Every structure is written in C-alpha cells, then in structure tokens.
Amino acid sequence: MTKPWGPQEEAREIRSPEVGKVLFGTKYLIVAKLGRGGMGEVFEVVKPPQIMGVLKRLAPEMAKFPKAKELFLTEVRALAELDHPHIVRVQDFDTDGFGVPFMVMERLTGRNVADLIEKRGRVEPDEAYEITRQLLDALHVAHTHDTPVVHRDIKPENIFLHQPRHGEPVLKLIDFGLVAEA
C-alpha cells in the first residue's frame, strides 16, 4: 500500500530551496541562488511586501549534525550583536519547515574587493587606505565587543564595497562563517 505524500513526508527530506519558490515553512521567496560553501547556502530573497534580503541557510547535508547547527547559531548570535555600519546587518533568524536554521541579512549592492582587484588589477592607494580604515574599524568593534568576536576568514571575497542608493560607498565585512567567540 502506498502512503499519501504530504507535508510530514516532505519535511523529512531536507532539500535545497528552489529559485522562484517560497522556502518551505517561511514567507521568503527565493529570487536567486548566490552561492554555496561547505556549511551553507546563500540566496537572494524577498518577503512581502517587497522586503529584500540575503538568506544564509545551513546546508541540508549539515543540518543533521548538532555541532554544525551550533556553529551556525554562533555566527548568527555574533552577527546579530555586532551592530556597526561596516558589518553586515542581520534582519531575521528562524528555522524553515525542515527545521534547518537560517538568517536573513541586509541586501548589499556593489562588489567585493576580490572582484574589484580582478577587474582593475589593482586598488588605488587612496582607495586602499579607505578600505583598510573601514575594515579595521569593523574588526575593532568585533574584537572589543562585550563578547569579543574573531572573524577568522578575512579575505578580499569577504570585504564587500556596498553602494547604497543614497550616499557614499561603505565597506561591509561579510561571511562570519568561521566566527569564534573569544
């Protein structure tokens, strides 16, 4: 006898979200897949009424490991506490219909320093100074916070040059995936 297929059966099989569909058990519509790493997946999302963000979700194959969930939650906690103009801001945190934790961060526009270097071949001295100044400001806040946070993965790909609609470009430190609370 064949069992009917329903939400209970679907929830047992953890899957990656599909572009154009709502993340199971949430209100977040997946607009685009932005990337995937060893611990997580990153998507551009929208939540009605047109609230844009970037959703980082623990990878489905990692969701069954309590230690992986603990590391992910450490990143969320650390980022949520670091309210600073040069650190990406967390807007939401929850678990999806599969029980997989995710966080939604502010949606940034622009490019990372690695893309800048690849396109131009170099960074001009005055621009390098400003990038370094803003990066050090972010790291100082993280390291001197009530619960100090060490990023542990500083690289050009994780230094984002955000161009807001109004105002000057601003550096945002992203991807605290290997974060450690000191």
Side-chain angles (χ1 to χ4, degrees):
M1 180 169 171
T2 308
K3 291 183 181 178
W5 182 257
Q8 294 81 13
E9 287 76 20
E10 185 175 346
R12 288 187 197 123
E13 184 183 327
I14 300 173
R15 295 184 290 216
S16 291
E18 294 179 40
V19 172
K21 294 191 177 182
V22 173
L23 176 60
F24 181 63
T26 76
K27 293 182 179 180
Y28 289 100
L29 173 68
I30 305 296
V31 176
K33 186 169 187 172
L34 301 176
R36 180 179 170 85
M39 289 288 289
E41 306 171 300
V42 181
F43 303 90
E44 181 178 352
V45 295
V46 64
K47 179 180 177 183
Q50 297 307 101
I51 299 170
M52 303 297 288
V54 172
L55 184 144
K56 183 174 182 180
R57 177 181 184 250
L58 188 61
E61 64 274 11
M62 300 303 292
K64 60 186 170 189
F65 298 109
K67 184 66 177 172
K69 283 185 175 182
E70 181 184 325
L71 288 170
F72 188 85
L73 294 175
T74 298
E75 177 187 6
V76 172
R77 224 180 356 263
L79 263 179
E81 290 179 7
L82 297 175
D83 182 22
H84 189 269
H86 298 304
I87 297 173
V88 67
R89 190 176 64 248
V90 174
Q91 297 174 327
D92 193 10
F93 168 77
D94 208 341
T95 56
D96 64 17
F98 297 112
V100 178
F102 69 87
M103 69 174 144
V104 179
M105 299 167 285
E106 65 183 309
R107 182 173 177 259
L108 304 174
T109 56
R111 61 183 166 193
N112 63 38
V113 171
D115 291 341
L116 176 72
I117 293 168
E118 183 178 318
K119 181 177 180 188
R120 287 203 226 145
R122 65 181 240 147
V123 178
E124 296 299 322
D126 58 333
E127 192 175 25
Y129 169 80
E130 191 56 29
I131 289 169
T132 303
R133 186 190 67 75
Q134 292 181 37
L135 176 62
L136 291 174
D137 192 29
L139 291 172
H140 174 74
V141 166
H143 294 173
T144 59
H145 190 266
D146 294 340
T147 303
V149 175
V150 180
H151 188 286
R152 298 193 323 177
D153 197 21
I154 301 296
K155 59 186 178 184
E157 291 83 355
N158 291 338
I159 303 168
F160 199 91
L161 305 173
H162 173 56
Q163 178 59 65
R165 280 190 199 150
H166 308 289
E168 295 294 315
V170 62
L171 178 139
K172 295 279 187 170
L173 186 55
I174 62 172
D175 196 358
F176 280 67
L178 297 175
V179 70
E181 293 177 327

